[in-house]
Amino acid sequence: MSERPPEPISDLGFARVDHDREARNGVPEVVFGEGKRAEQISAIASRLLARHQRALVTRVDETQAETVLRDHPEGHYDPISRLLWWGQAPQQLPGSAAVICAGTSDLPVAEEAAQTLEWLGVHAPRLNDVGVAGIDRLLAHREALTRADVLIVVAGMEGALPSVVTGLVNSPVIAVPTSVGYGASLQGLTALLGMLSACATGMSVVNIDNGFGAAWQAAGILRLAARGVHEMPLHFSSSRESSGS
Amino acid sequence: MSERPPEPISDLGFARVDHDREARNGVPEVVFGEGKRAEQISAIASRLLARHQRALVTRVDETQAETVLRDHPEGHYDPISRLLWWGQAPQQLPGSAAVICAGTSDLPVAEEAAQTLEWLGVHAPRLNDVGVAGIDRLLAHREALTRADVLIVVAGMEGALPSVVTGLVNSPVIAVPTSVGYGASLQGLTALLGMLSACATGMSVVNIDNGFGAAWQAAGILRLAARGVHEMPLHFSSSRESSGS
Amino acid sequence: MSERPPEPISDLGFARVDHDREARNGVPEVVFGEGKRAEQISAIASRLLARHQRALVTRVDETQAETVLRDHPEGHYDPISRLLWWGQAPQQLPGSAAVICAGTSDLPVAEEAAQTLEWLGVHAPRLNDVGVAGIDRLLAHREALTRADVLIVVAGMEGALPSVVTGLVNSPVIAVPTSVGYGASLQGLTALLGMLSACATGMSVVNIDNGFGAAWQAAGILRLAARGVHEMPLHFSSSRESSGS
Amino acid sequence: MSERPPEPISDLGFARVDHDREARNGVPEVVFGEGKRAEQISAIASRLLARHQRALVTRVDETQAETVLRDHPEGHYDPISRLLWWGQAPQQLPGSAAVICAGTSDLPVAEEAAQTLEWLGVHAPRLNDVGVAGIDRLLAHREALTRADVLIVVAGMEGALPSVVTGLVNSPVIAVPTSVGYGASLQGLTALLGMLSACATGMSVVNIDNGFGAAWQAAGILRLAARGVHEMPLHFSSSRESSGS
Amino acid sequence: MSERPPEPISDLGFARVDHDREARNGVPEVVFGEGKRAEQISAIASRLLARHQRALVTRVDETQAETVLRDHPEGHYDPISRLLWWGQAPQQLPGSAAVICAGTSDLPVAEEAAQTLEWLGVHAPRLNDVGVAGIDRLLAHREALTRADVLIVVAGMEGALPSVVTGLVNSPVIAVPTSVGYGASLQGLTALLGMLSACATGMSVVNIDNGFGAAWQAAGILRLAARGVHEMPLHFSSSRESSGS
Amino acid sequence: MSERPPEPISDLGFARVDHDREARNGVPEVVFGEGKRAEQISAIASRLLARHQRALVTRVDETQAETVLRDHPEGHYDPISRLLWWGQAPQQLPGSAAVICAGTSDLPVAEEAAQTLEWLGVHAPRLNDVGVAGIDRLLAHREALTRADVLIVVAGMEGALPSVVTGLVNSPVIAVPTSVGYGASLQGLTALLGMLSACATGMSVVNIDNGFGAAWQAAGILRLAARGVHEMPLHFSSSRESSGS
Amino acid sequence: MSERPPEPISDLGFARVDHDREARNGVPEVVFGEGKRAEQISAIASRLLARHQRALVTRVDETQAETVLRDHPEGHYDPISRLLWWGQAPQQLPGSAAVICAGTSDLPVAEEAAQTLEWLGVHAPRLNDVGVAGIDRLLAHREALTRADVLIVVAGMEGALPSVVTGLVNSPVIAVPTSVGYGASLQGLTALLGMLSACATGMSVVNIDNGFGAAWQAAGILRLAARGVHEMPLHFSSSRESSGS
Amino acid sequence: MSERPPEPISDLGFARVDHDREARNGVPEVVFGEGKRAEQISAIASRLLARHQRALVTRVDETQAETVLRDHPEGHYDPISRLLWWGQAPQQLPGSAAVICAGTSDLPVAEEAAQTLEWLGVHAPRLNDVGVAGIDRLLAHREALTRADVLIVVAGMEGALPSVVTGLVNSPVIAVPTSVGYGASLQGLTALLGMLSACATGMSVVNIDNGFGAAWQAAGILRLAARGVHEMPLHFSSSRESSGS
């Protein structure tokens, strides 16, 4: 009869913090900082820290960070990745997610990915400035690349690096287009469309500059590898008349 | 001195068949049928079947299929998924990749994904016609969804289904926009951009109508789960001066 | 424990027919015909007619219609609106929804709206070919326009008619852009964007050529007027800390 | 012979204030503040307040507001909704228009809608931060949602919330895309196109960030419900040869 | 009280023929043939011919033309310009409107312009295939170009010709982009945007492939030159407080 | 043998001032100020004033204007139209070009047109804030509109005003889209495309916010009306084999 | 006094054939076949063959070719490249222009380039199906690539191949995007924008599918290499006040 | 076994400097300054200067330049071209690359091209402000243009100049669109697409505002002309079964 939401959600009026998420996958909800006022971030962080003892906020500029850290001084802020965080993963996941980056200007996005991975307990070795216009810089690390369990490949401009990397490895590749470039690069749209059009099989794509999203996906894959697949075969009751051949 | 490529590649002049791919990840190269003439497909299939005893061609129309099957009659063709294949995976991978589909018109893309998975040796239960405008159709299967190890979510129009599914599960989600819709759906571009913009974390996206690509990525994730991560920590020698905090 | 969906949904494998919709708002689910094979439409229609004794399918071409009508000959098909329907609304809704149409080429969309309204039990007077380039054709009906309870305004090319009509009346206006035009009209995108940018207040917009959607919205408004608003004030429990002033 | 406009319009040279609008629907003309200089707003407000004793200006920044309030100090300004207003509706309309908001960053647009509704005399309960990626936050209020007479659903990024809400209720839904998001969200264009492409029937859409327009449309629907439909059947004399079936 | 439109408009139900237009500017309404069925064109032509003894229909394909000419055999049809017409202008306008065309593939649009001009009683000399990549072909006619009273310049691909021509003459230039080209020409959008961005002053632009619209505008300019300007100075009563300097 | 350009052009290295233009049409070259440094503008103005005793610079911001006026203090600057000018037309052209403006925010563009006309010696009555959403504001001036010899119609948002005005008059209409609006108005692109798609015949279009270009075209039309058309019929020698009917 | 063009141009009314081009650079004008009727092509070919004894027509479909070859049977037609030609270059240019092609589906464009080169007297070795997703196929030819004097690199989808090739060689690279791909490849626009955004220096780009244009540019470069640069230093008289540092 | 890259690359962690490039083509790697912090530029410059005694950085703003020049004071900075450089080419290349520029506002891009050419040892005569709207300014230099060995043509707005220039000369033309313009020029996209669509053969295109890239390509062409083509015919071993005619 009551409309009151169940306990796992903290209702702040302007925001609803989902505490159940940690129960589901071991990680508390992450806050997207852009477009939120510092006080809103601070209020959400309070709830998260009280319950989970750790928190991560993405896309925080230096002014926001300063204000929030005044309330919660035990956190860390990195001006390159623009991440603000408290605490860390209770344990390290086995395996590694390599973060490969085409150019120096793509570093902020690559670091958002790499530091998010580290906060999630994932080993995240970096390989920077290996864009395809000087392919030997990449090929010098060919053998190492094949030993990464997941790869996040970050590139702006024409966004060609993920295609080449995907062709060199067998592990899943997550491609991150960046807004680096000018003119025909259309603020990253060209790299994004290029990655989606790529002929290489075995890669998928996230939004422009979304290093965080790629890291989350990569960590999810490693978490699956760590726990192993479900034993019982899965069936949906409805599939009896599937229209496939 | 000689330019002759090393043996692992069959040079047909108009195409180079990469036989090494099976050595690398246990699956022979897959052929993209669109824009190729039936005789070209047939010639490539000959090389693949001679070497690997199985082959998969995507985006084959009925006329192409008929011609190719005349040369290689032991194959199968499904007019819905437009896949043409011979043989099958030598063994089944553990786990399952669920294929969730928003509407009846999205079925060809969903079946391209599901049948590719099956050819790759992956169990692929289907859940069709569960678009978000009638959310109860999806929620009726909520518990089963959480038991899928990977999920491929196929949707056209506004492409909202992957966001909702990603919020219900902890496994990696691969979203496939389709070209189903009209007007503002811009031949699938709206669904594609929507999926990339989605607020849900834990999903990545492939090209419009690219059921095959999603299946390949899902199979790669299950293959990683099956073999386990690499034991030795990975380091790139260059990361000593990484500019991260 | 069982994944079997609750009874209100007919599971056809490739489609799930939602029978509950009639319980909720007195109208059975409507079928979008484009991209479905005639046999699929026929199967869905069977379920709907068995349960509700009426059905509506939109975007049906003549070939599809012929095939479906062979199975269900008691239906009607209009080649202009491309609607295929069986039965009619059990009772007429009070009031009227006028359908105003800018040019002769916009008629198929206007008729999709008008005939859908009639199938839903709404009186739908038409006013055709009153585009803004000859404003007197519209103004000749000014007084009548103000007596419509809802107005659906259909226009292609620059899509200016809804702005003008909205300024003449006080009733809600639903604007429908059409794909009529060439060159800079970009298959209806220009009309769509124009209607959304319009300075007139009191109108909202549906997808290009979506006469059906506009009719559904208009009928919903008249249904609300017929039943009256809810008596008890509505409150969401969470709004206690709303961030508004 | 004279070109002088009839009395109902105040001609300020740079603007023409339409006083008749209140006669027509009980609400004086609303001023769009963006791109107008503070003195222009002030001059228009003078005319409106002299005649109607109330006024509403949208899209006012803090500097504009301060200047205008110096001339007309009895007004109110909310920096979140960016609305500036004087007076209020002479009486409350029956019923309610719920304002549902996907994320915290969408609040300014949601508040523009909600506060406009309140100024128009409409009860406007809010439900904030119930984006589809955590569907339970929305479903917790499912029963309450069905009691809203009209719903305004505000969402940025992929804009999926209106589709889901529309599937849960029978009342008319007005969807408002916002410019919240980055990269592939294209300043709100992706959400806008997604809402227009949505498979859910029963919703229409307004311009990006146009909370005001949605509120106006919602109020118009409630005003229709309050006054009831016209009794006499409406006919346009021209419809005798309509080309429909 | 009656809604019946005043006599100057023939109401065909699906169309309203505006007979007053001839009274206003000496030319009966012109019919846009695309998207109309042959019977609709025929019915409209009947009304026009009965009243004005001449008519023009644009964008008519050969099948439509054949059907309509069966009803009204005294007309003419040109398959290049796709114009269908009856009768001609009662008298010739003084002066000339030159039609300049960049390439052979642009001829259908140029002929639509030139033949429309001739039907309107305007002398329309042609200069074909003088695109800017071989500037001497154009410059050979430089002196003649300056003697045209109005110029219509038709070009596809990059659409550069109007800029060059405008720089050579003092008369008004109307630029017509065409859909000729491929790839980056985006079906004429590139030529359209290029003409609008042109640095040359003294030209304006019509829609892609809209030879008819350019001809109408050019004829209007010559009609103004023929009748001379209005003698009495024009004033709008409202301009007393114009905000200009 | 020498590459030195003929005398009519002043070569400043970074710019070439075309003095012949005045010989050709009685008006010296106009300078586009945007993107030029104040010293460049000043140097060009020096050459123009030395030779022609008058000059016009468009798109000048207040800082540029101040600097240039320090060198050439006899000029005038209007911060609304952003025009900077010296001197005036030696004589007034007969007739008038009305400048019609949809909304208060479009005034800067309308004033750029109107003041350019005045500098060119054209009578330019204004009619402001007559957008189509309140059509009576426009119709109140209907009779006066028909007495304008040329009309410049300025509108942003959906850009519908030129269609309506063109339908009311017989004189040539030049439509100017403005960048006024937000969201779906795409910085004026929607208004631009709408005007080009308009069903009204007798209008042509210039670039977004290009009041200057519209004024120049309008003045050219009035100049043609003033001097009359050329007497001798124009023929291009090449037209003997024109491929038209 | 006469407007008759000078002799080097054959005026066919619908086309002007430029015979001087051979005098200028040793190659007669080439005809773009798309959008021209077979008789027009035939007439132009007649003029070219009469004067130059050789001709090339691009973008000819099989039906056009058959008709034209009936009139001029000594020509050749290739259905893959869609080229139709007569005769050949009087002598071979020294050096070679390699044509590198990413995928089998790009072959028609690559062959248009290669066969045009051959008709122009250029040695054009091909390297097909070496897309970046299998980088070893390309690297196997690394040493040979550096011996090409000019390289034409043809790729669809994400268009990444030219970046990689440019990084491997020192010779000029001309990149040709193709319309091969689907969904996000936007008919070649993605490849085009990607190539333009590429970080590799030393490449320039031609239109989508424009193999002919790339060949022409490559031949021009080799022609320059063959004749050597101009001896006398070039100066424009105007550069005395260049605004560079 | 070791992952350490071979000596020719300096690994700075955030960047890899490719010293081999000078060995390959006589020019050290050039640094793209935009988006890099001044300290990063400084560190890269240190490596380059230590090894090659010269360096070039593009797209440097005045603040960056000041900081970098404090560390490396022997360099030069030009605020118009935004280039920062040290040292110069060891020897001058024979021939010349003319830089032709449409308008004064395009100068920064033209100077980026011209000064890059000079740093590369190429004679680069400029011809400024010769846009097509006053074609005589260009034609005055016609004879000189034909003596340039390569031409770089820089234009914004409609970007028509390269088409005209290409038609006047036989040397290779590289077209550079600029972001100069407003409204329909879409920040240079219109000029870019126009140049790619151009009917003139013999030109290729680089990215918007990419004067540097055009210069690099032009220098590469002159370098080829200086060294002469390779003597030995080039063959790829694989071309034996090429699918061309």
Side-chain angles (χ1 to χ4, degrees), chain H residues 22-145:
Chain H
E22 194 181 44
R24 290 203 308 270
N25 61 11
V27 191
E29 195 180 0
V30 172
V31 185
F32 182 70
E34 203 166 282
K36 292 203 178 67
R37 285 170 298 145
E39 313 83 69
Q40 293 178 324
I41 296 174
S42 221
I44 299 174
S46 293
R47 299 284 174 116
L48 287 168
L49 289 170
R51 194 82 153 247
H52 309 284
Q53 287 76 54
R54 59 185 170 134
L56 176 64
V57 193
T58 65
R59 306 234 163 185
V60 182
D61 65 34
E62 303 203 28
T63 319
Q64 287 172 309
E66 218 169 284
T67 308
V68 179
L69 283 172
R70 222 173 290 134
D71 295 345
H72 304 283
E74 67 283 18
H76 305 268
Y77 176 68
D78 178 54
I80 293 193
S81 65
R82 297 199 295 154
L83 294 179
L84 174 63
W85 72 93
W86 294 263
Q88 54 179 18
Q91 75 267 336
Q92 196 73 6
L93 275 170
S96 67
V99 179
I100 320 296
C101 172
T104 303
S105 307
D106 301 314
L107 265 176
V109 180
E111 283 301 311
E112 188 187 78
Q115 295 175 26
T116 295
L117 283 167
E118 289 170 348
W119 185 80
L120 291 167
V122 175
H123 175 53
R126 277 87 153 169
L127 185 57
N128 292 330
D129 199 22
V130 291
V132 302
I135 198 81
D136 294 320
R137 297 180 300 180
L138 179 72
L139 295 175
H141 299 274
R142 185 168 187 166
E143 200 268 336
L145 287 168

Side-chain angles (χ1 to χ4, degrees), chain F residues 155-173:
Chain F
M157 293 172 170
E158 85 273 51
L161 185 58
S163 296
V164 177
V165 170
T166 300
L168 296 175
V169 303
N170 282 320
S171 304
V173 172

Side-chain angles (χ1 to χ4, degrees), chain A residues 24-225:
Chain A
R24 289 204 308 270
N25 60 12
V27 192
E29 195 180 0
V30 171
V31 185
F32 181 71
E34 205 166 280
K36 291 204 178 67
R37 284 171 299 144
E39 312 83 71
Q40 292 177 323
I41 296 174
S42 223
I44 299 173
S46 293
R47 299 286 174 113
L48 287 167
L49 290 170
R51 194 82 153 248
H52 310 284
Q53 290 75 52
R54 57 183 171 135
L56 176 63
V57 193
T58 65
R59 307 233 163 186
V60 181
D61 65 35
E62 303 203 29
T63 319
Q64 287 172 310
E66 218 169 285
T67 308
V68 179
L69 283 172
R70 223 173 291 135
D71 295 346
H72 304 283
E74 68 284 18
H76 305 269
Y77 177 67
D78 177 55
I80 293 193
S81 65
R82 297 199 293 152
L83 294 179
L84 174 63
W85 71 92
W86 295 262
Q88 55 180 19
Q91 75 267 334
Q92 195 74 5
L93 275 170
S96 67
V99 179
I100 319 297
C101 173
T104 304
S105 308
D106 301 313
L107 265 176
V109 180
E111 282 302 311
E112 187 187 80
Q115 295 175 26
T116 295
L117 284 166
E118 289 171 346
W119 185 79
L120 291 167
V122 175
H123 174 55
R126 278 86 153 170
L127 184 58
N128 292 329
D129 199 21
V130 291
V132 301
I135 197 81
D136 293 320
R137 297 179 301 179
L138 179 72
L139 295 175
H141 299 273
R142 183 168 188 165
E143 200 269 335
L145 287 169
T146 63
R147 279 189 293 120
D149 297 302
V150 186
L151 297 101
I152 291 174
V153 187
V154 180
M157 295 174 169
E158 85 272 50
L161 185 58
S163 296
V164 176
V165 170
T166 301
L168 296 175
V169 304
N170 281 321
S171 304
V173 172
I174 302 164
V176 190
T178 76
S179 52
V180 168
Y182 62 94
S185 82
L186 302 177
Q187 284 87 50
L189 208 57
T190 294
L192 174 67
L193 295 169
M195 290 173 183
L196 288 158
S197 303
C199 48
T201 47
M203 65 188 253
S204 54
V205 185
V206 296
N207 198 1
I208 298 165
D209 293 337
N210 190 6
F212 165 73
W216 196 273
Q217 177 82 310
I221 293 172
L222 289 175
R223 214 178 292 125
L224 172 68

Side-chain angles (χ1 to χ4, degrees), chain F residues 56 58 83 111-121 211-212 215-216:
Chain F
L56 176 64
T58 65
L83 294 179
E111 282 302 311
E112 187 187 77
Q115 295 174 27
T116 295
L117 284 166
E118 290 170 346
W119 184 79
L120 291 167
F212 165 74
W216 196 271

Side-chain angles (χ1 to χ4, degrees), chain C residues 37-229:
Chain C
R37 282 169 300 144
E39 312 84 70
Q40 293 178 325
I41 296 173
S42 223
I44 299 172
S46 293
R47 299 283 174 113
L48 288 167
L49 290 171
R51 193 84 152 247
H52 312 282
Q53 288 76 52
R54 58 183 170 135
L56 176 64
V57 193
T58 65
R59 306 233 163 186
V60 181
D61 66 34
E62 304 203 27
T63 319
Q64 287 172 311
E66 218 169 283
T67 308
V68 179
L69 283 172
R70 222 174 290 134
D71 296 345
H72 304 282
E74 67 285 18
H76 305 269
Y77 176 68
D78 177 55
I80 291 191
S81 66
R82 297 198 295 151
L83 294 179
L84 173 63
W85 71 94
W86 294 263
Q88 54 180 18
Q91 76 267 334
Q92 196 73 7
L93 275 170
S96 67
V99 179
I100 320 297
C101 172
T104 305
S105 307
D106 301 313
L107 265 176
V109 180
E111 282 301 312
E112 188 187 78
Q115 294 175 27
T116 295
L117 283 166
E118 290 170 347
W119 185 80
L120 291 168
V122 175
H123 175 54
R126 278 85 154 169
L127 184 58
N128 292 330
D129 199 21
V130 291
V132 300
I135 197 80
D136 293 321
R137 297 179 301 179
L138 178 72
L139 294 175
H141 299 274
R142 184 168 186 164
E143 199 268 333
L145 288 168
T146 63
R147 279 190 292 120
D149 297 302
V150 186
L151 298 101
I152 291 174
V153 187
V154 179
M157 295 173 169
E158 85 273 51
L161 186 58
S163 295
V164 176
V165 170
T166 301
L168 296 175
V169 303
N170 281 320
S171 305
V173 171
I174 301 164
V176 190
T178 76
S179 52
V180 168
Y182 64 93
S185 82
L186 301 178
Q187 283 88 51
L189 208 57
T190 294
L192 174 66
L193 294 169
M195 290 172 182
L196 287 159
S197 303
C199 47
T201 48
M203 65 188 253
S204 53
V205 185
V206 297
N207 198 2
I208 298 165
D209 292 337
N210 190 6
F212 164 74
W216 196 272
Q217 177 81 310
I221 293 171
L222 289 175
R223 214 178 293 125
L224 172 67
R227 70 158 160 84
V229 301

